[in-house]
């Protein structure tokens, strides 16, 4: 087991990473102590709960939690909306949770974002822990405290910063994770490598998605990706500046998700399209050397990531980008790669250049 700490001033917390952690919960010492005697509500989606809910409930009881109930919703991005969140708030009131209670988010990024936002808003904020069950949630969404829901006009537009008390990353969850979701999660690993870990990028170049079956290497890869994120979050918890780096690939990615309809593409598929796009913009602006640009493109191709489909409307994508949280006063701020392990945030890109890259989409 590896433990990575997020050294935040107010609420530092641990991320535990290993295979079979939930079979030995007492090994995560700090966590077991924090959970002992707590009244909890498990929040999950129907798919994940059917596969893993019973076991997690048992583990929580083993470490001394009183599990008051479960709040479930239909799996998938279309559930990440305020009307579904209301159902979680109702379950919290009925459980009943109090200020000292704790929410346990068991699932992928949709569950983590929803459960975290429910915890952030219930009684003005109660504790929660993350038990991510997708690769994407393990390396990205469960870490860093961004919580929230989508708006029909833009992804994640309604939300709050609310850090979990702990994150438990048990790689055993991959036993049931569909292949498409594995690849989706690796897109965020590729993003982390481009942003800040050349060695991780090299491992990904050497391997392919089959590395999911190598528990030791997987632990290394997940830990390295989590470390990239942990370092950035520790420096800029509330995205005053540098944390924007983590949005690499997300400006186009979020717009694609919105325009195509939530759930049409997985988050990781859309981020991978955004990575291709960011490389193209960076090359067009002369910010990245050709070798690094083609290494990134080749890696994305080798792993099987698709570029944004022709049939998506360029005009609609541009409009959606302007609604993105990363835009300011209607002007979109970009994160672009400068090389392998290096990127810059807050960049302006002329609309003509974006149009040129999206050219052909409306035809
Ligand atoms: P998801 O939560 O929709 O999970 C994908 C699918 O996999 C779902 O159908 C789910 O039921 C299923 N699933 C989950 N774990 C499983 C398992 N172990 N076995 C079998 N099936 C399983 O999607 P995701 O890709 O995990 O997360 C995407 C979401 O995360 C998006 O809404 C995105 O905006 C958000 N996100 C948030 C942050 C953040 O910082 N908060 C960062 C990145 C992404
Ligand atoms: N996924 C972007 C962030 O956590 O800041």
């Amino acid at each position: 087991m590896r433990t990575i700490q997020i050294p935040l001033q107010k609420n530092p917390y641990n991320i535990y990473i290993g295979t079979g952690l939930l079979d030995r919960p007492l090994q995560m010492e700090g966590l077991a102590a924090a959970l002992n005697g707590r009244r909890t509500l498990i929040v999950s989606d129907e798919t994940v709960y059917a596969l893993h809910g019973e076991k997690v409930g048992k583990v929580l009881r083993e470490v001394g939690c009183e599990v008051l109930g479960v709040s479930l919703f239909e799996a998938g991005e279309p559930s990440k909306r305020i009307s579904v969140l209301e159902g979680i708030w109702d379950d919290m009131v009925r459980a009943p949770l109090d200020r000292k209670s704790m929410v346990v988010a068991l699932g992928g990024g949709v569950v983590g974002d929803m459960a975290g936002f429910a915890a952030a808003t219930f009684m003005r904020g109660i504790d929660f822990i993350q038990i991510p069950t997708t690769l994407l949630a393990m390396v990205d969404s469960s870490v860093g405290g961004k919580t929230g829901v989508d708006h029909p006009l833009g992804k994640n537009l309604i939300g709050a910063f609310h850090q979990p008390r702990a994150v438990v990353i048990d790689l055993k969850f991959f036993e049931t994770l569909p292949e498409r979701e594995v690849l989706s999660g690796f897109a965020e690993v590729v993003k982390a490598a481009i942003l800040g870990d050349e060695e991780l990028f090299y491992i990904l170049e050497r391997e392919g998605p089959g590395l999911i079956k190598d528990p030791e290497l997987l632990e290394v890869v997940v830990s390295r990706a989590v470390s990239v994120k942990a370092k950035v979050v520790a420096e800029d918890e509330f995205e005053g500046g540098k944390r924007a780096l983590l949005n690499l690939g997300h400006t186009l990615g979020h717009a694609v998700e919105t325009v195509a309809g939530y759930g049409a593409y997985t988050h990781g598929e859309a981020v991978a399209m955004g990575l291709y796009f960011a490389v193209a913009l960076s090359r067009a602006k002369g910010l990245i050397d050709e070798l690094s640009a083609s290494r990134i493109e080749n890696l994305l191709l080798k792993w099987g990531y698709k570029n944004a489909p022709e049939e998506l409307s360029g005009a609609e994508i541009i409009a959606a980008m302007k609604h993105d949280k990363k835009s300011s006063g209607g002007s979109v701020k970009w994160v672009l790669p400068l090389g392998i392990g290096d990127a810059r945030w807050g960049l302006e890109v002329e609309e003509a250049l974006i149009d040129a890259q999206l050219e052909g989409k409306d035809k």
Side-chain angles (χ1 to χ4, degrees):
M1 181 183 80
R2 291 159 201 248
T3 306
I4 295 173
Q5 210 208 26
I6 305 254
L8 298 174
Q9 246 180 358
K10 196 164 156 227
N11 287 318
Y13 58 94
N14 283 345
I15 301 162
Y16 304 93
I17 305 171
T19 302
L21 292 185
L22 291 172
D23 298 324
R24 306 178 299 279
L26 295 174
Q27 196 188 341
M28 299 175 275
E29 263 178 42
L31 178 69
L35 285 169
N36 191 16
R38 300 294 283 265
R39 291 153 64 87
T40 57
L41 179 77
I42 300 174
V43 176
S44 191
D45 71 35
E46 284 157 5
T47 307
V48 172
Y49 194 78
L51 290 165
H52 303 289
E54 207 176 302
K55 175 170 178 181
V56 170
K58 195 166 149 271
V59 170
L60 290 172
R61 285 181 204 98
E62 250 172 65
V63 297
C65 276
E66 187 186 348
V67 181
L68 295 182
V70 181
S71 182
L72 297 181
F73 56 84
E74 198 179 324
E77 189 71 28
S79 287
K80 207 173 119 177
R81 61 193 149 92
I82 210 78
S83 57
V84 178
L85 188 72
E86 278 175 25
I88 303 178
W89 284 326
D90 287 345
D91 291 336
M92 294 168 103
V93 173
R94 289 203 187 95
L97 298 189
D98 59 28
R99 280 183 198 284
K100 297 227 154 57
S101 303
M102 187 176 253
V103 168
V104 175
L106 171 69
V110 169
V111 167
D113 283 11
M114 297 267 284
F117 191 40
T121 44
F122 184 77
M123 294 191 174
R124 300 197 178 82
I126 64 169
D127 289 349
F128 81 117
I129 62 164
Q130 291 267 19
I131 307 185
T133 61
T134 63
L135 175 58
L136 188 135
M138 292 177 190
V139 297
D140 198 343
S141 62
S142 66
V143 175
K146 279 190 181 175
T147 72
V149 295
D150 299 328
H151 184 277
L153 291 180
K155 281 270 300 171
N156 301 334
L157 287 183
I158 320 292
F161 285 99
H162 190 54
Q163 298 292 343
R165 288 287 168 184
V167 182
V168 179
I169 298 183
D170 189 339
L171 304 174
K172 231 179 164 183
F173 283 118
F174 293 147
E175 285 173 7
T176 59
L177 193 64
E179 230 171 84
R180 184 177 176 193
E181 299 302 336
V182 171
L183 197 62
S184 175
F186 272 121
E188 296 281 14
V189 179
V190 175
K191 176 198 82 176
I194 297 171
L195 281 183
D197 189 343
E198 194 174 2
E199 174 66 23
L200 176 58
F201 191 89
Y202 173 68
I203 296 173
L204 298 174
E205 274 183 318
R206 197 187 60 207
E207 306 287 330
L211 83 79
I212 197 89
K213 298 206 174 73
D214 179 341
E216 273 165 38
L217 187 57
L218 189 60
E219 194 174 309
V220 170
V221 164
V222 169
S223 304
R224 292 191 83 111
V226 167
S227 298
V228 171
K229 177 149 190 182
K231 190 162 171 277
V232 175
V233 170
E235 283 178 43
D236 180 20
E237 181 179 358
F238 299 110
E239 203 166 315
K242 188 176 183 187
R243 183 164 177 168
L245 281 173
L246 297 171
N247 297 326
L248 176 66
H250 285 60
T251 306
L252 182 90
H254 279 171
V256 166
E257 284 186 83
T258 306
V259 172
Y262 296 131
Y265 296 105
T266 67
H267 181 66
E269 286 164 355
V271 167
M273 294 171 195
L275 293 177
Y276 278 115
F277 198 69
V279 172
L281 288 183
S282 195
R283 181 190 275 124
K285 282 180 78 69
L287 294 174
I288 190 168
D289 61 284
E290 188 46 40
L291 177 63
S292 301
S294 47
R295 276 180 76 191
I296 297 172
E297 287 168 337
N298 288 339
L299 174 64
L300 292 168
L301 278 171
K302 176 180 168 189
W303 279 62
Y305 293 108
K306 304 238 171 0
N307 218 321
E310 288 288 313
E311 61 273 14
L312 284 180
S313 153
E316 281 183 87
I317 289 182
I318 289 181
M321 283 180 191
K322 290 188 176 161
H323 278 296
D324 198 82
K325 294 193 300 317
K326 294 171 284 305
S327 78
S328 141
S331 124
V332 180
K333 295 281 187 269
W334 289 85
V335 188
L336 298 179
L338 305 183
I340 310 291
D342 191 14
R344 192 180 298 161
W345 50 274
L347 292 168
E348 306 251 352
V349 179
E350 313 77 72
E351 210 160 289
L353 195 58
I354 296 166
D355 279 340
Q357 297 298 328
L358 289 171
E359 205 173 276
K361 290 204 175 307
D362 285 333
K363 294 180 187 138

